[in-house]
Amino acid sequence: MTGHALHVELGERRYRIDIGAGLLGDPDIWSALPLGQTVLVVTDHNVGAHYAAAVCDRLSDRDCRVHSVPPGESTKSMAHVNRILDALIDHGARRDATVIALGGGVVGDLAGFAAACYLRGIAFVQIPTSLLAQVDSSVGGKTGVNHARGKNLIGAFHQPAAVVIDTDTLSTLPDNELSAGLAEVIKTALLADGEFFEWLEQNMDALRRRDPNALAHAISRCCAIKAGVVARDEREAGERMLLNLGHTFGHAIENVTAYRGWLHGEAVGAGLVMAADLSAARGHIAPDDVDRVRRAVASAGLPVDARNLDAEALVSAMAHDKKFQHGRARFILLEQLGLAFVADDVDPAMMSSRLATFCR
Amino acid sequence: MTGHALHVELGERRYRIDIGAGLLGDPDIWSALPLGQTVLVVTDHNVGAHYAAAVCDRLSDRDCRVHSVPPGESTKSMAHVNRILDALIDHGARRDATVIALGGGVVGDLAGFAAACYLRGIAFVQIPTSLLAQVDSSVGGKTGVNHARGKNLIGAFHQPAAVVIDTDTLSTLPDNELSAGLAEVIKTALLADGEFFEWLEQNMDALRRRDPNALAHAISRCCAIKAGVVARDEREAGERMLLNLGHTFGHAIENVTAYRGWLHGEAVGAGLVMAADLSAARGHIAPDDVDRVRRAVASAGLPVDARNLDAEALVSAMAHDKKFQHGRARFILLEQLGLAFVADDVDPAMMSSRLATFCR
């Protein structure tokens, strides 16, 4: 294997992230994984069809079962958490059992939350197979499910025991989901690393062609940045909020479209342009910078506006975002391309009028 | 007020326990509590009838609502967790909201778990009103609910932000529940403090008469011991297991009686005698010590055996206890009255034959 390895430094809960091509077939990766004797592999029907059998083959010395869930955001529900808990009980899982989350963000969030709740927390390993999960959701320990009244309202901070990212799994990922993952890649560069953003401007085509070296570089850069943020602020008391760049707008888009029609990453893509635009309107960055963000998002195959959506509905949805405290609007804005900050003093009228330029 | 105050030392998550008579009516207690502007008081119909209105009166400057659940162990379910989550959403609770658990162990475990899951964890305050909750379950952060296939299979470690123990609330506690709480008091003394056990031998009548000074002393001694154990081993990797003295037997009794007929504390009472008996059979303590434990448990109004139960069924139930790792029997035994240890090498045949003497 040729891979990258890095660590999330969380003291006793420190864990390793391996990134590379072909890792799922690498015996060294499997022998190093901290697994209990009892393993439940949680996957979805699509991903499972490609990889579940191969994973179980690697675990022939363990007591391994597969629990497959339907693909899609609607699976992130308490009903499916309960089914995983039932499967763990059926499997005789004790405190030393391990859950493997094999799939995209939905599977990781769902399986991670079930592992967090079972016997007040058992170990889980993330094997993310979508770009979005590989660059963002599999690292950092946020787990949870949706409630009828809002996304991710129910959940836990529960760090994985290890993360294994095999870039080969991206070969079966649909184009629009690859683009959705690229939104989080652009987000990560914008909030923390201007040079990485320049690299993205030059290598977006290679990424969309799924060039393995380009993918491995982008994924490890994102994981390294996120690992640093999470190690410094695991529970999102401060710096970790920066990872929500573009997400307040993005969540509002998802909310008013009832989580249909837009992928999460697509909404984040448009949200990044909106965040850059608001940053420029407040004088933090130059109009040219907004154009660079817009071009990067477009070159990833992502929407750069929210035509046909109602600006007032978006503003209203934002007021219900759980990131708001005491009803005050809190936005992540850009000080430069590669440096984000938390703004508590956004003028609601300016926000609404800027947002209107992206709608109709 | 005349009260005791102590702290659970968990770094950033350090919290205070106040113990005394009349604390719920003490403005100083309320003004010192770390509460958000939005408060949901979770209580049961019995406890709520006595104290919910008084609590809300004290919170007239907050946005306070009461969520009342049916009393009894069957309320510790995912269905009731979901209803509390719905109530939090209805109440507009954000990350700075606080859940107050006002009631016994069921309410504390249920409300604490809902607080742990909501937005990946919001603050909660324990106001335990049963002796069992005051001396044991309200301190230490174990929260959770039952599954059809076993007790406390679903849960989280989520420490409260504060614990307020008003011994006056014990005046409305039924006698059998007072006795059930005394089982945990005896347990705590037996595992950690021989002098406290001697004090209990001399003061059991005063406790059963609900003498306020005796109760406050016993409760603060238990909380202090538990706070120390939890601070040293929050996640039960070692020392905290000692708090399960008598519980492996007790859980088996509860299990074979389908959680009906025996209160948890009653099962623990008999379990303490069984643990002492097994300790003597292995030569750790003297037969006289077993008699002292038996007398203390009996004087608390608790059962000291398990007549009519089937010894083999108890053994079989123990094999399914979640505390077992790799199917190996792990018992907490006594080295002396006031000092417990973890035994990994209990002979199953000896355990079965000793257990048989407690049954038929």
Side-chain angles (χ1 to χ4, degrees):
Chain A
M1 72 172 256
T2 54
H4 305 246
L6 45 100
H7 290 86
V8 183
E9 299 295 349
L10 287 165
E12 287 178 4
R13 291 169 298 123
R14 179 180 198 259
Y15 57 93
R16 180 178 163 122
I17 307 171
D18 281 291
I19 302 151
L23 297 195
L24 288 186
D26 183 340
D28 291 344
I29 288 288
W30 287 101
S31 62
L33 275 185
L35 297 174
Q37 184 57 34
T38 305
V39 176
L40 185 72
V41 178
V42 178
T43 188
D44 72 33
H45 304 334
N46 294 344
V47 174
H50 285 107
Y51 307 110
V55 165
C56 286
D57 282 352
R58 293 283 161 193
L59 297 172
S60 55
D61 57 336
R62 314 267 166 175
D63 190 8
C64 179
R65 284 193 197 174
V66 175
H67 178 84
S68 185
V69 299
E73 186 76 20
S74 64
T75 297
K76 261 181 71 169
S77 67
M78 277 309 304
H80 277 286
V81 171
N82 287 330
R83 284 180 211 173
I84 296 174
L85 296 172
D86 286 344
L88 284 164
I89 295 170
D90 284 339
H91 196 21
R94 297 173 192 272
R95 287 187 178 167
D96 57 351
T98 306
V99 170
I100 293 181
L102 173 70
V106 166
V107 164
D109 287 3
L110 173 72
F113 184 51
C117 294
Y118 188 67
L119 303 182
R120 298 199 187 92
I122 64 172
F124 85 114
V125 169
Q126 290 270 22
I127 304 184
T129 60
S130 73
L131 183 60
L132 187 141
Q134 292 179 352
V135 299
D136 191 29
S137 61
S138 69
V139 173
K142 279 193 180 180
T143 72
V145 296
N146 301 327
H147 184 279
R149 306 260 290 277
K151 242 181 125 169
N152 294 321
L153 287 181
I154 307 168
F157 285 96
H158 187 53
Q159 298 290 343
V163 182
V164 178
I165 298 173
D166 184 343
T167 52
D168 287 354
T169 60
L170 299 179
S171 64
T172 50
L173 192 70
D175 283 341
N176 62 340
E177 292 195 29
L178 188 83
S179 290
L182 289 171
E184 301 286 357
V185 175
I186 297 169
K187 173 203 82 173
T188 305
L190 280 176
L191 71 91
D193 187 343
E195 279 184 35
F196 181 35
F197 183 74
E198 286 175 33
W199 182 92
L200 285 175
E201 290 181 302
Q202 288 148 22
N203 290 275
M204 197 58 83
D205 285 350
L207 290 169
R208 294 187 71 186
R209 279 198 317 270
R210 305 178 198 223
D211 175 274
N213 291 329
L215 284 170
H217 174 75
I219 294 166
S220 29
R221 199 69 209 98
C222 288
C223 286
I225 291 169
K226 183 154 185 189
V229 172
V230 168
R232 290 186 295 270
D233 176 24
E234 183 180 6
R235 296 254 168 173
E236 198 166 312
E239 183 184 355
R240 188 164 180 170
M241 282 189 284
L242 300 179
L243 297 175
N244 294 314
L245 178 66
H247 279 63
T248 301
F249 293 108
H251 286 155
I253 292 172
E254 292 183 277
N255 193 291
V256 302
T257 55
Y259 299 95
R260 280 188 285 269
W262 291 66
L263 292 176
H264 173 69
E266 292 170 340
V268 169
L272 290 172
V273 186
M274 293 171 187
D277 172 79
L278 185 56
S279 303
R282 286 167 48 108
H284 303 300
I285 61 173
D288 276 1
D289 291 330
V290 183
D291 289 336
R292 285 177 67 190
V293 173
R294 184 179 286 110
R295 278 196 301 272
V297 170
S299 72
L302 294 164
V304 294
D305 54 34
R307 302 282 161 228
N308 305 321
L309 297 189
D310 179 39
E312 280 178 36
L314 290 176
V315 171
S316 164
M318 273 187 267
H320 287 86
D321 193 286
K322 68 179 167 174
K323 309 243 163 30
F324 284 55
Q325 300 278 352
H326 310 298
R328 198 166 59 170
R330 171 177 284 173
F331 284 89
I332 314 302
L333 297 181
L334 291 170
E335 202 163 300
Q336 59 189 60
L337 302 191
L339 188 61
F341 70 102
V342 179
D344 274 334
D345 61 345
V346 171
D347 173 26
M350 175 191 277
M351 199 267 282
S352 296
S353 74
R354 291 313 309 161
L355 202 51
T357 68
F358 286 88
C359 301
R360 283 268 21 119
Chain B
M1 71 170 256
T2 54
H4 305 246
L6 45 99
H7 289 87
V8 184
E9 299 294 349
L10 286 164
E12 287 177 4
R13 291 170 297 121
R14 179 180 197 261
Y15 57 94
R16 179 176 164 124
I17 307 172
D18 281 291
I19 302 151
L23 297 195
L24 287 186
D26 184 339
D28 290 346
I29 289 288
W30 287 101
S31 62
L33 276 184
L35 298 174
Q37 184 57 34
T38 304
V39 176
L40 185 72
V41 178
V42 178
T43 189
D44 72 32
H45 303 334
N46 294 343
V47 174
H50 285 108
Y51 306 110
V55 165
C56 287
D57 281 351
R58 294 282 162 193
L59 298 171
S60 55
D61 57 335
R62 314 267 166 176
D63 190 8
C64 179
R65 282 193 198 175
V66 175
H67 179 84
S68 184
V69 300
E73 186 76 20
S74 63
T75 297
K76 261 180 69 169
S77 67
M78 277 310 301
H80 277 286
V81 172
N82 287 330
R83 284 180 212 173
I84 296 174
L85 296 171
D86 286 344
L88 284 164
I89 295 170
D90 284 339
H91 195 21
R94 297 173 191 273
R95 287 185 179 168
D96 57 352
T98 307
V99 170
I100 292 181
L102 173 70
V106 166
V107 164
D109 288 2
L110 173 71
F113 183 51
C117 294
Y118 188 67
L119 303 182
R120 297 195 189 95
I122 63 171
F124 86 114
V125 169
Q126 290 270 23
I127 304 185
T129 60
S130 73
L131 183 60
L132 187 142
Q134 291 179 352
V135 298
D136 191 28
S137 61
S138 69
V139 173
K142 280 194 181 179
T143 71
V145 297
N146 301 326
H147 185 278
R149 306 260 290 277
K151 242 182 124 171
N152 294 322
L153 287 180
I154 307 167
F157 285 96
H158 187 54
Q159 298 290 344
V163 183
V164 178
I165 298 174
D166 184 342
T167 52
D168 287 354
T169 60
L170 299 179
S171 62
T172 51
L173 193 70
D175 283 342
N176 62 341
E177 291 194 31
L178 188 84
S179 290
L182 288 171
E184 301 286 357
V185 176
I186 297 169
K187 174 204 81 175
T188 306
L190 279 175
L191 72 91
D193 187 343
E195 279 183 35
F196 180 36
F197 182 74
E198 287 174 31
W199 183 91
L200 285 174
E201 289 180 303
Q202 287 149 23
N203 291 274
M204 198 58 84
D205 285 350
L207 291 169
R208 294 188 71 188
R209 277 198 318 270
R210 306 179 196 222
D211 175 274
N213 291 330
L215 285 169
H217 175 75
I219 294 165
S220 29
R221 199 69 210 97
C222 288
C223 287
I225 291 169
K226 183 153 184 191
V229 172
V230 168
R232 290 186 294 270
D233 177 24
E234 183 181 5
R235 296 253 168 173
E236 196 166 312
E239 183 185 356
R240 187 165 180 168
M241 282 189 283
L242 301 179
L243 297 175
N244 294 315
L245 177 66
H247 280 63
T248 301
F249 293 107
H251 286 155
I253 291 172
E254 291 184 277
N255 193 290
V256 302
T257 55
Y259 299 95
R260 280 188 285 269
W262 291 66
L263 292 177
H264 174 68
E266 292 170 341
V268 169
L272 290 172
V273 186
M274 294 171 185
D277 172 78
L278 186 57
S279 303
R282 286 167 48 108
H284 302 300
I285 60 173
D288 276 0
D289 291 330
V290 183
D291 289 337
R292 285 177 66 191
V293 173
R294 184 180 285 109
R295 278 196 301 271
V297 169
S299 73
L302 294 164
V304 294
D305 54 33
R307 303 280 161 230
N308 305 321
L309 297 189
D310 180 41
E312 281 178 35
L314 290 176
V315 171
S316 165
M318 273 187 271
H320 287 88
D321 193 287
K322 69 179 166 175
K323 310 251 163 26
F324 284 54
Q325 299 276 352
H326 309 298
R328 196 166 58 168
R330 171 176 285 173
F331 285 90
I332 313 303
L333 297 179
L334 291 169
E335 203 164 300
Q336 60 188 60
L337 303 191
L339 189 60
F341 70 102
V342 179
D344 274 334
D345 60 346
V346 171
D347 174 25
M350 175 191 278
M351 199 267 284
S352 296
S353 74
R354 290 314 309 164
L355 203 52
T357 67
F358 285 87
C359 301
R360 280 268 24 121

